[in-house]
Amino acid sequence: MGLAIDASCDLPQEFLQKHRVAIMPITVRLDSEVFMDARNPAEIQRFIDRRLGSRSHSAETEPCPVEEVQKLFLEKLVLEQDCVFCLTITATRSPINENVNKASFAILKNYRQVREKAGVPGPFMMRVVDTGNVFTGAAPAVCEAARLIAANESPSTIRERLVHIASHSYGYMLPRDLIHLRNRIKKRGDRSVSLLSAMVGTALDIKPILRCFRGETSPVGKVRGFDQGAEALFGYVARRVRAGLMVPVVCISYGGDLEVLPHLPGYTELRQACAECGVELMEAPMSITGMVNVGEGAVTVGFAAEEHEAEF
């Protein structure tokens, strides 16, 4: 059994390599340049080094099309695995989930002759799971999938568990540049941050803390200044860690160099809480797509827990 995710699911490169996670890439067009967002560390660093996230208001992002999903599966994955769990970011934010579901019809129709030609016996299955989240909010379901595959659980058991974890996954984001964020979400028809809120927030240095849960994104708190926002967010996550998580993982992504994270207020407390509770703290660079859409320097945090109210 194997795993496939789309590039905007923020997870560390070490994890992706260890579990041989296939990446469905996203094409990013910025002015005259084209970036292939496939969670390639060198490509992400090239984007960061050139500070392109700060001028990406007009960038266009194109999730992996149906034909490319079919190609990935029929030329590679159906030959390497008997069952692939394909986890995508929420269908309310991207057409990637729809593209994968459409591709699955052709994949399941044509895999037999591909496998027979290569001398690979037996049937092939693929299961598509909408994580209902974005960025690191998709990480808990992916991590749980890797654990269950390693434990050799049945496909039906794994899928049932992943749907449950996805419905209890929380993704939080603290942006730096509200005007950039507002311009990008307006382009997608989203109204999570209004123009007035962005202008007032920028003038007064007030940052919203946004939450994605079950496909819906909304502000759940606001703070004065990015550093105070980081301290509030990390402190909140530390309390949730101590209250108990459904998957012993907290994943954090940053829209820039990861060396910044340990210096943010509240990060040491979060790291201590995770160590005390046996929770793995994973750090990942934000995808190029993420930096284009929410701006450089944003922080996202994802974990899975019993349903609760945000307290900021």
Side-chain angles (χ1 to χ4, degrees), residues 257-277:
D257 291 318
L258 291 179
E259 290 79 5
V260 172
L261 280 177
H263 302 289
L264 292 177
Y267 197 75
T268 299
E269 178 192 352
L270 174 57
R271 181 177 280 168
Q272 290 173 345
C274 289
E276 292 169 7
C277 299

Side-chain angles (χ1 to χ4, degrees), residues 69-88:
V69 176
Q70 292 173 0
K71 183 177 179 181
L72 171 65
F73 273 79
L74 292 175
E75 293 184 4
K76 177 178 171 64
L77 299 184
V78 303
L79 300 174
E80 297 177 348
Q81 276 111 21
D82 298 321
C83 177
V84 173
F85 290 90
C86 193
L87 292 91
T88 72

Side-chain angles (χ1 to χ4, degrees), residues 33-211:
E33 293 189 79
V34 176
F35 289 83
M36 186 55 66
D37 187 5
R39 300 216 62 84
N40 181 294
E43 190 76 342
I44 293 174
Q45 194 60 50
R46 182 168 77 94
F47 187 88
I48 292 171
D49 290 344
R50 296 181 59 195
R51 301 297 305 276
L52 294 175
S54 61
R55 61 178 180 89
S56 57
H57 301 290
S58 61
E60 298 291 338
T61 60
E62 179 187 342
C64 196
V66 174
E67 297 76 18
E68 289 301 314
V69 176
Q70 292 173 0
K71 183 177 179 181
L72 171 65
F73 273 79
L74 292 175
E75 293 184 4
K76 177 178 171 64
L77 299 184
V78 303
L79 300 174
E80 297 177 348
Q81 276 111 21
D82 298 321
C83 177
V84 173
F85 290 90
C86 193
L87 292 91
T88 72
I89 65 166
T90 178
T92 61
R93 292 284 168 179
S94 169
I96 183 62
N97 183 269
E98 181 181 358
N99 289 359
V100 174
N101 276 303
K102 287 180 178 178
S104 68
F105 294 107
I107 294 166
L108 295 176
K109 178 182 178 181
N110 297 311
Y111 81 81
R112 289 187 185 278
Q113 66 181 77
V114 174
R115 283 167 68 96
E116 287 174 2
K117 186 176 180 180
V120 180
F124 173 81
M125 293 186 294
M126 64 181 293
R127 297 291 183 264
V128 183
V129 178
D130 180 351
T131 65
N133 227 294
V134 293
F135 306 121
T136 50
V142 181
C143 293
E144 184 70 350
R147 183 187 72 81
L148 293 171
I149 288 173
N152 203 31
E153 295 286 354
S154 69
S156 60
T157 298
I158 294 174
R159 188 182 188 283
E160 183 179 356
R161 175 66 175 169
L162 296 187
V163 170
H164 181 67
I165 293 300
S167 70
H168 290 81
S169 292
Y170 293 81
Y172 288 88
M173 182 178 71
L174 176 68
R176 282 190 191 267
D177 187 343
L178 291 187
I179 297 298
H180 177 103
L181 176 61
R182 194 264 174 183
N183 287 338
R184 288 301 301 175
I185 64 177
K186 180 185 177 184
K187 189 177 181 69
R188 301 197 306 272
D190 187 347
R191 298 186 179 182
S192 298
V193 178
S194 69
L195 175 60
L196 179 61
S197 296
M199 293 177 67
V200 171
T202 299
L204 300 178
D205 197 23
I206 295 174
K207 310 293 186 187
I209 295 176
L210 304 171
R211 183 186 76 175

